[in-house]
Amino acid sequence: MCGIWALFGVDVHSISKYDKTFSKIQHRGPDAWRLEYDLKVKNVCLGFHRLAIIDSLYGMQPMKLHKFPFVSMICNGEIFNWKQLGEKHGFNYETQCDVESVLQLYGSFGIDETLKQLDAEYAFCLIDSLKKKVFVARDPYGVRPLFYLASSNGILGVSSEAKGLTCLVDELGLTEWEMKPFPPGHIAEYNILPGGKLELISMNRFFKIEEPILPPVPLEEGLTEEIVHANIRNLLTQAVEKRMMSNRRIGCLLSGGLDSSLIASILVKLSKEKGLPYPIQTFSVGMADSPDILAARQVAKHIGSEHHEVLFTAEDVLSVLDKVIYTLETADITTIRASCGMYLVSRYISQNTDTVVLCSGEGADEVAQGYIYFRDAPTPDHAHNESLRLLGDIFMYDGLRADRTTAAHGLELRVPFLDLRFTQYFLSLPKTMRQPQNQIEKHLLRSAFDGTGLLPNEVLWRHKEAFSDGVTTIKKSLFNIIQEWIDPKYTDEDLKQAAIKYQHCPPNSKESLYYRDMFEKYYEGQSSKFMPYFWMPMWTQVKDPSARFIQHYAAK
């Protein structure tokens, strides 16, 4: 995990005045930083904040290789198959840093073939000074964040987070411009003009969720229950194993729900098999005796992890709420609610442990139809299409939450459920097989691990609980606490006027009005680009995203 930043088409002699903008993403890379100009390309500046996970000695960026001296790159990513690529193509790696494989692939085969071969999570900007080209790309599900600022006169800014770009509009005196998230699964190609400004040639999608991008791995053939369950177990285990690539300590977020519990249990099992020199630390967060705290405690005892419970109060949540909104770069209601606990537990991990790399369960609900509302899907086709929609937008909601709250504290999060081969296989299974069964969501995923002893049975079949609800109590959810604090700050008339003031995604409550006001304070006028809609459950008439308002809610 790191922070990448680039500015094209701006006089480099005045670049020092932009270092404060560059430093706004320094939390993503607390170990080292570099702001670099290279005469090979006029008026281009590249910045990098590093969190050293692989090859702490030679992994600094911008990265260049002796073999391809005209190519330089900044990359926030983990290339899980870098060793296999080196063996397959005979790459003579100059470093032991996984992202070097991107440069080796590009120099050997070009950009299109590079993207086809990466089993990875990444966002990168690659500059070819010989061909006068710039390429910007982002991984298929947008696990690694990326924003860009483009002006009509050829200035381009690239940053891991929007906060690394927002001040540039005024500082550069831009008039015609746009700033937005770089779309996942896309590659942009630019020509470098004589003055260092850029000309966009194309923005193409190289990944579609239902079209396999990687060659398949050997699996048992057939659709019997036994074969499908075995393949799911094997692929998820492989997804966790490849994400254990690290020179820093690995741990796991553990809410006590199905998703994080599965990942934690597999991670602990693999760590013992590999003989890691430390126990896996697991981390749960919540109010004392909240459902998540109790369930996570049970899982940790079962799997034998070194468990940490991070208990918070209402005051703790309210004290970080504004910081959370600034960190997230969104005004989405459920994303902000769910991020408060994750922000607090990440802060604890950073301040009290030496764990730097974390695994978590994000992505399972999208891939495996885990949200309670999937029980109301009219047909298997509707449910399948909803999974595809959720996965396509996860980078603006759950994926965003997972990345920002951990990166804010210099931690790297890895998400095995969004592994390309796992999602490729799971989504290829018959649509009826993937639907909730007997009013139990993620039935197929649960069944695949039933009888393995990996988890306590009551956790494996535990009812779905939204993260922002499970960290508090059944009687009083987190949003109740926040709403009680916000309510006196606004009148009913304020809420009526909000629909006029904010015509895109107008606030529907005083809570959402507060979130929007704070968002506009930091990212004025960007809501339609950063947050196209409020995340809400489908096939229901509820007006609040909490699962506790859905008729099927039955968590205890």
Side-chain angles (χ1 to χ4, degrees):
M1 194 277 295
C2 60
I4 63 173
W5 187 90
L7 191 56
F8 297 86
V10 175
D11 182 7
V12 295
H13 298 295
S14 60
I15 200 65
S16 61
K17 73 178 184 179
Y18 305 120
D19 59 359
K20 289 184 179 179
T21 302
F22 165 62
S23 69
K24 287 186 177 181
I25 60 168
Q26 65 182 0
H27 50 273
R28 299 191 67 88
D31 294 337
W33 66 269
R34 180 181 289 167
L35 200 57
E36 179 178 289
Y37 164 68
D38 191 327
L39 187 61
K40 289 197 292 290
V41 181
K42 187 177 182 181
N43 291 335
V44 173
C45 186
L46 301 180
F48 186 71
H49 290 283
R50 187 177 191 215
L51 178 67
I53 302 295
I54 304 290
D55 194 350
S56 59
L57 187 60
Y58 295 109
M60 193 56 183
Q61 299 180 33
M63 183 174 281
K64 308 178 190 69
L65 302 177
H66 290 89
K67 187 176 181 180
F68 308 109
F70 295 102
V71 183
S72 57
M73 178 188 69
I74 47 176
C75 176
N76 171 19
E78 298 77 48
I79 316 301
F80 302 121
N81 63 337
W82 71 283
K83 289 185 177 180
Q84 293 92 323
L85 289 169
E87 293 170 0
K88 177 181 178 181
H89 300 299
F91 293 151
N92 183 20
Y93 285 130
E94 295 185 23
T95 73
Q96 288 300 306
C97 194
D98 54 304
V99 300
E100 182 187 334
S101 58
V102 179
L103 283 178
Q104 293 279 1
L105 284 169
Y106 173 77
S108 301
F109 306 111
I111 194 65
D112 292 337
E113 189 60 31
T114 297
L115 298 172
K116 292 177 183 177
Q117 296 197 41
L118 294 177
D119 183 4
E121 298 163 354
Y122 58 84
F124 68 74
C125 179
L126 187 150
I127 301 92
D128 188 327
S129 60
L130 186 63
K131 296 181 179 179
K132 301 299 181 185
K133 293 284 187 181
V134 171
F135 297 99
V136 181
R138 189 176 182 188
D139 69 67
Y141 293 120
V143 174
R144 297 295 157 222
L146 192 64
F147 285 79
Y148 70 101
L149 169 67
S151 73
S152 58
N153 64 343
I155 292 175
L156 179 73
V158 174
S159 178
S160 292
E161 298 180 15
K163 55 183 67 68
L165 299 174
T166 49
C167 293
L168 291 176
V169 174
D170 292 332
E171 290 175 353
L172 298 174
L174 303 181
T175 53
E176 297 181 16
W177 57 275
E178 68 171 0
M179 179 167 49
K180 61 173 65 173
F182 192 90
H186 281 68
I187 173 73
E189 177 183 346
Y190 297 86
N191 280 340
I192 303 175
L193 302 178
K197 293 186 177 181
L198 300 188
E199 175 189 29
L200 179 64
I201 301 302
S202 63
M203 172 83 80
N204 293 323
R205 184 170 188 169
F206 66 85
F207 172 79
K208 294 182 181 179
I209 294 173
E210 291 187 279
E211 297 178 7
I213 188 172
L214 293 171
V217 293
L219 294 172
E220 293 189 55
E221 295 185 7
L223 291 174
T224 66
E225 188 175 273
E226 183 180 1
I227 288 175
V228 169
H229 289 175
N231 286 338
I232 289 173
R233 290 194 300 272
N234 291 337
L235 286 170
L236 189 58
T237 300
Q238 291 172 26
V240 174
E241 183 174 17
K242 69 179 71 170
R243 284 162 178 78
M244 296 175 71
M245 177 184 75
S246 174
N247 294 336
R248 306 287 288 272
R249 185 168 183 164
I250 304 169
C252 195
L253 297 178
L254 177 59
S255 71
L258 171 70
D259 312 331
S260 64
S261 297
L262 276 177
I263 299 303
S265 62
I266 295 171
L267 179 61
V268 170
K269 182 174 183 289
L270 289 172
S271 72
K272 293 175 180 176
E273 292 173 358
K274 292 175 176 293
L276 290 191
Y278 54 81
I280 295 296
Q281 294 179 329
T282 51
F283 304 92
S284 64
V285 62
M287 291 183 161
D289 296 331
S290 67
D292 279 0
I293 286 287
L294 297 176
R297 188 181 301 165
Q298 182 183 9
V299 173
K301 182 178 179 181
H302 182 84
I303 65 177
S305 63
E306 182 184 300
H307 192 52
H308 297 245
E309 294 181 352
V310 182
L311 304 181
F312 66 80
T313 64
E315 290 72 24
D316 292 329
V317 171
L318 300 176
S319 70
V320 300
L321 186 57
D322 291 359
K323 292 178 183 177
V324 166
I325 296 170
Y326 172 74
T327 295
L328 292 177
E329 304 174 334
T330 186
D332 181 61
I333 302 162
T334 192
T335 303
I336 293 171
R337 290 174 181 173
S339 294
C340 292
M342 204 160 179
Y343 184 93
L344 291 169
V345 72
S346 297
R347 185 176 69 181
Y348 170 89
I349 296 168
S350 177
Q351 293 177 353
N352 297 280
T353 79
D354 60 348
T355 287
V356 176
V357 177
L358 293 165
C359 288
S360 75
E362 272 76 27
D365 287 326
E366 288 76 8
V367 176
Q369 301 187 17
Y371 295 111
I372 295 174
Y373 70 80
F374 270 99
R375 300 181 197 179
D376 295 320
T379 67
D381 283 335
H382 282 85
H384 173 72
N385 291 334
E386 176 65 355
S387 271
L388 299 183
R389 184 188 73 83
L390 289 169
L391 283 168
D393 289 352
I394 193 172
F395 73 101
M396 295 183 288
Y397 300 96
D398 271 12
L400 179 150
R401 165 182 55 78
D403 173 82
R404 300 300 195 284
T405 54
T406 50
H409 301 285
L411 305 174
E412 174 170 299
L413 193 78
R414 296 178 178 175
V415 283
F417 278 111
L418 290 180
D419 181 80
L420 285 177
R421 286 197 168 95
F422 177 79
T423 60
Q424 179 177 306
Y425 175 75
F426 203 97
L427 293 171
S428 72
L429 295 171
K431 296 170 185 177
T432 52
M433 185 181 288
R434 290 181 277 124
Q435 285 195 284
Q437 306 290 330
N438 303 318
Q439 295 298 296
I440 300 175
E441 75 288 335
K442 283 181 289 204
H443 189 276
L444 177 58
L445 183 62
R446 298 175 196 271
S447 299
F449 289 90
D450 197 21
T452 63
L454 204 61
L455 288 177
N457 217 43
E458 55 268 38
V459 173
L460 183 65
W461 295 95
R462 182 188 174 198
H463 279 283
K464 170 69 179 174
E465 174 70 277
F467 182 55
S468 60
D469 296 328
V471 296
T472 48
T473 66
I474 296 296
K475 293 182 179 179
K476 194 171 190 178
S477 190
L478 182 63
F479 68 84
N480 299 128
I481 294 170
I482 295 174
Q483 288 172 349
E484 288 176 2
W485 181 74
I486 290 175
D487 190 70
K489 299 180 184 298
Y490 295 101
T491 65
D492 292 340
E493 183 60 27
D494 291 333
L495 188 55
K496 289 181 181 179
Q497 292 299 315
I500 301 172
K501 183 179 180 181
Y502 301 126
Q503 295 191 16
H504 172 74
C505 288
N508 57 8
S509 67
K510 293 178 181 179
E511 179 193 9
S512 62
L513 175 55
Y514 182 83
Y515 296 165
R516 185 61 171 275
D517 280 345
M518 288 298 102
F519 173 87
E520 295 293 334
K521 176 182 176 181
Y522 304 123
Y523 311 105
E524 184 179 2
Q526 298 304 308
S527 65
S528 63
K529 300 293 176 62
F530 294 6
M531 179 192 71
Y533 58 86
F534 287 128
W535 193 101
M536 289 288 288
M538 293 283 284
W539 310 304
T540 177
Q541 299 302 310
V542 299
K543 297 182 179 180
D544 189 285
S546 172
R548 294 192 175 187
F549 291 99
I550 298 177
Q551 62 176 341
H552 306 302
Y553 178 82
K556 295 290 189 293

